Amino acid sequence: MNRNLTRRQFLKAAAAGSVAISTTTSAALLRKAEGAGAGRASGKPPNLVFVFPDQMRGQAMGFTGQDPVITPSLDEFARQSLVLTHAVSTYPVCSPYRAMLMTGKFPHANKVLSNCNSNSAPFGCELQQSDICWSDVLKARGYSLGYIGKWHLDAPHKPYVKCENNSEKFAWNEWCPPNRRHGFDFWYSYGTYDYHFTPLYWATDSPRNKPLRPKQWGPEHEADLAIKYIRNEGGKYRKENKPFALVVSMNPPHTPYNLVPKKYVDMYAGKTYKDLSNRPNVNIEGDTPGGRLARKHIKNYFAMVTGVDEQFGRILSALKKKGLEDNTIVVFTSDHGNCLGAHEQATKNVHYEESMRVPFLIRWPGKIGARHDDLPVSTPDIYPTLLDLMGFSVDIPKQVQGISQASIFLTGKGKRPASQLYMWVPVGKPALGRRGVRTHRYTFVISKAEGKPNEYVLHDNVNDPYQLKNIADEQPQIVRELTKELVKWLRKNKDPWLKIGELK
Ligand code: CA
């Protein structure tokens, strides 16, 4: 299989048995892949465990020295991992991130320009069945694939699924039918559902009208299942002699923050909001919505992070006990961060560091050296990077827009991106909204709305790490340089936001 296959050709090849259907073909392809990716996977193809809680900001890990949060599992994991200290969510909200993760394409190419719900559904906003996801590639390579937790990539359709997140007028949650699961053969998932103590899931064979409703805190329930999958209890979760990829997509520390087990809140006993809030961009003592929100929720948010950390630690222990630690790539990241009152912002979908910066830790013992690296990785890069690391660079479809950073992951050497794109698109208006770039030094954003002049924001993240000042008017030369950088991204993405001649 080469890099130029379309999905149609890919599926045809798979159906004809030429793509990893037989063991012999699979082995031949693997040998080819190893040749193409020296220093990548060799011998037995690696497993992948990809864990990403929802709305966990990059600052909320104890070892970073930023939020005073308790995360012993992540602190230990960080000592064994490559930690990307400048990882961001390119479009820091649920579905756009998730679609970029799955397709390796930016939103204008994968059609997920907004969150999937009944508002965006008429615009065709959902993961396209025709896209070749990284999971499709691994499936064709003979992998077992499991998805546990939040998916949020289907447009709700009428009659809406009856559940608390949906009303007759507005819907978030939707079942993902088997033909839209992109290779995941073990399924225990849902679209959007935020009742963390009474979560809702559709298992592999659950019909749309019969979701399961366990009574257990979501991350703990999902870790229990992930552990069963890793152990392959009763041989019923995956093919024991095949490599596997498992995604665990936890909902906390997403809202509502009060839905967190008391044992995690108790770990912050005696701490006041003043002890926990250390960001000068939060009006922590003030009578503003942001200040009130931070005072009310910061402890529970951190408690949720601690709960997620403990469950992640349990998954890591299961891998170790099963003897799979060495040949499994483990990634821990998030779909976006959380402002929690910073800049008077409630949550995400803005350019501020609390919203954009996400954890990104990757461990592969003996292959990826443990260290911190300030590589400015973008969300669509994750797909080609993982496949490249796993030895499948030849399978990366040409439609993928992200760039493999595997060389930098493995050796620290290689061409580094100059910047990261930032995006927000209003529902149904692909040529409007905010576009920006983030570099090691600056965050720069242009906001475009109907009938209004463009608004410019520029932050110097080195001299003003909490982004308290907008210096766009004082720094016209930097605005010009970063506009040029932004235009490169927009041209690459054929983004209709960019009208020829409008930006100099
Ligand atoms: Ca989210």
Side-chain angles (χ1 to χ4, degrees):
M1 183 176 170
N2 65 48
R3 215 181 137 78
N4 297 322
L5 287 195
T6 62
R7 181 179 173 85
R8 196 166 51 80
Q9 289 164 330
F10 176 86
L11 292 174
K12 203 174 154 192
S18 64
V19 182
I21 296 301
S22 73
T23 312
T24 320
T25 315
S26 180
L29 282 164
L30 284 177
R31 281 194 296 277
K32 188 181 161 198
E34 283 156 22
R40 273 81 167 164
S42 55
K44 208 175 163 195
N47 307 308
L48 171 68
V49 173
F50 192 97
V51 179
F52 72 120
D54 191 318
Q55 202 158 310
M56 180 161 156
R57 67 188 184 193
Q59 296 85 358
M61 297 185 288
F63 71 88
T64 67
Q66 297 206 42
D67 289 329
V69 65
I70 302 166
T71 56
S73 306
L74 281 162
D75 298 347
E76 173 65 18
F77 185 66
R79 286 191 282 275
Q80 305 161 354
S81 300
L82 165 63
V83 179
L84 298 184
T85 55
H86 281 252
V88 298
S89 178
T90 300
Y91 185 157
V93 75
C94 238
S95 308
Y97 168 90
R98 289 159 194 269
M100 286 187 279
L101 172 69
M102 293 311 301
T103 65
K105 291 156 69 170
F106 287 90
H108 284 92
N110 68 34
K111 296 189 171 21
V112 183
L113 284 157
S114 312
N115 258 341
C116 296
N117 56 37
S118 53
N119 260 3
S120 64
F123 302 97
C125 179
E126 64 177 356
L127 181 62
Q128 302 298 296
Q129 210 176 336
S130 56
D131 266 323
I132 303 171
C133 296
W134 57 264
S135 47
D136 291 309
V137 172
L138 293 182
K139 185 69 184 170
R141 284 285 185 179
Y143 273 62
S144 290
L145 285 134
Y147 197 100
I148 298 171
K150 184 173 183 175
W151 175 248
H152 202 183
L153 285 169
D154 292 292
H157 60 87
K158 289 182 178 174
Y160 298 137
V161 169
K162 282 198 168 58
C163 70
E164 291 78 356
N165 267 52
N166 292 349
S167 71
E168 282 187 18
K169 289 189 176 158
F170 194 88
W172 283 96
N173 199 13
E174 184 53 88
W175 174 67
C176 180
N179 63 356
R180 291 183 44 78
R181 291 178 191 167
H182 288 276
F184 289 101
D185 46 75
F186 178 84
W187 191 257
Y188 196 83
S189 182
Y190 59 94
T192 308
Y193 195 74
D194 295 328
Y195 296 78
H196 309 321
F197 280 125
T198 50
L200 176 156
Y201 305 92
W202 283 278
T204 308
D205 298 322
S206 299
R208 185 174 186 254
N209 62 352
K210 287 195 178 156
L212 308 171
R213 290 171 172 268
K215 289 191 170 54
Q216 189 180 12
W217 194 52
E220 185 185 58
H221 186 67
E222 290 158 21
D224 284 355
L225 193 58
I227 291 164
K228 286 180 186 166
Y229 187 92
I230 288 164
R231 288 181 186 156
N232 198 19
E233 284 185 7
K236 63 179 186 180
Y237 289 86
R238 57 185 174 83
K239 291 177 188 157
E240 184 70 26
N241 57 347
K242 295 282 186 186
F244 68 86
L246 173 66
V247 178
V248 185
S249 170
M250 299 172 181
N251 198 337
H254 191 283
T255 53
Y257 305 116
N258 61 319
L259 299 182
V260 56
K262 187 172 173 296
K263 65 175 174 174
Y264 301 123
V265 184
D266 287 348
M267 291 169 77
Y268 295 85
K271 301 275 185 195
T272 66
Y273 63 80
K274 279 190 222 170
D275 299 323
L276 298 173
S277 177
N278 60 11
R279 304 187 76 76
N281 53 21
V282 178
N283 186 17
I284 193 66
E285 297 286 13
D287 188 22
T288 58
R292 287 194 290 272
L293 182 122
R295 289 197 291 276
K296 187 170 177 189
H297 294 304
I298 194 163
K299 188 184 282 194
N300 284 340
Y301 180 66
F302 288 175
M304 275 198 174
V305 168
T306 298
V308 163
D309 177 86
E310 183 173 287
Q311 301 309 325
F312 177 57
R314 293 180 59 224
I315 293 170
L316 293 177
S317 295
L319 270 178
K320 191 171 185 174
K321 281 185 197 148
K322 181 80 177 171
L324 295 173
E325 197 172 58
D326 285 347
N327 200 37
T328 301
I329 297 174
V330 180
V331 177
F332 184 94
T333 186
S334 183
D335 58 346
H336 49 77
N338 189 13
C339 287
L340 202 73
H343 306 280
E344 291 298 320
Q345 297 288 325
T347 51
K348 63 262 182 176
N349 218 351
V350 286
H351 66 272
Y352 295 117
E353 286 291 276
E354 293 82 358
S355 161
M356 276 190 85
R357 276 276 298 108
V358 289
F360 195 101
L361 297 83
I362 181 166
R363 185 185 77 182
W364 194 11
K367 294 278 189 181
I368 296 178
R371 65 194 195 275
H372 286 204
D373 191 303
D374 66 0
L375 177 73
V377 70
S378 291
T379 307
D381 297 343
I382 298 171
Y383 172 152
T385 302
L386 289 176
L387 286 189
D388 194 359
L389 287 171
M390 295 168 89
F392 306 130
S393 62
V394 292
D395 293 356
I396 299 167
K398 68 170 192 212
Q399 296 89 342
V400 164
Q401 296 174 308
I403 308 284
S404 170
Q405 309 293 348
S407 288
I408 292 173
F409 279 34
L410 291 163
T411 67
K413 293 178 190 142
K415 190 169 183 291
R416 287 167 179 261
S419 65
Q420 296 155 306
L421 179 66
Y422 161 76
M423 299 181 61
W424 169 72
V425 181
V427 174
K429 294 177 177 169
L432 294 178
R434 298 186 288 270
R435 305 290 189 275
V437 283
R438 181 185 179 282
T439 66
H440 284 130
R441 179 77 188 265
Y442 296 106
T443 298
F444 172 63
V445 179
I446 308 176
S447 181
K448 190 192 278 191
E450 269 165 328
K452 290 185 182 170
N454 288 351
E455 288 175 15
Y456 292 71
V457 172
L458 177 65
H459 296 301
D460 180 338
N461 298 331
V462 172
N463 292 314
D464 176 24
Y466 295 99
Q467 303 176 310
L468 297 167
K469 272 185 77 181
N470 177 8
I471 56 168
D473 288 343
E474 313 164 16
Q475 298 288 353
Q477 180 57 29
I478 291 165
V479 165
R480 271 194 293 278
E481 284 166 20
L482 292 173
T483 300
K484 270 190 209 163
E485 183 65 21
L486 175 59
V487 166
K488 282 187 212 163
W489 281 107
L490 302 182
R491 287 209 174 114
K492 172 178 167 157
N493 291 353
K494 298 187 175 66
D495 188 331
W497 189 99
L498 182 68
K499 288 183 185 140
I500 303 300
E502 186 182 50
L503 299 171
K504 300 290 181 210

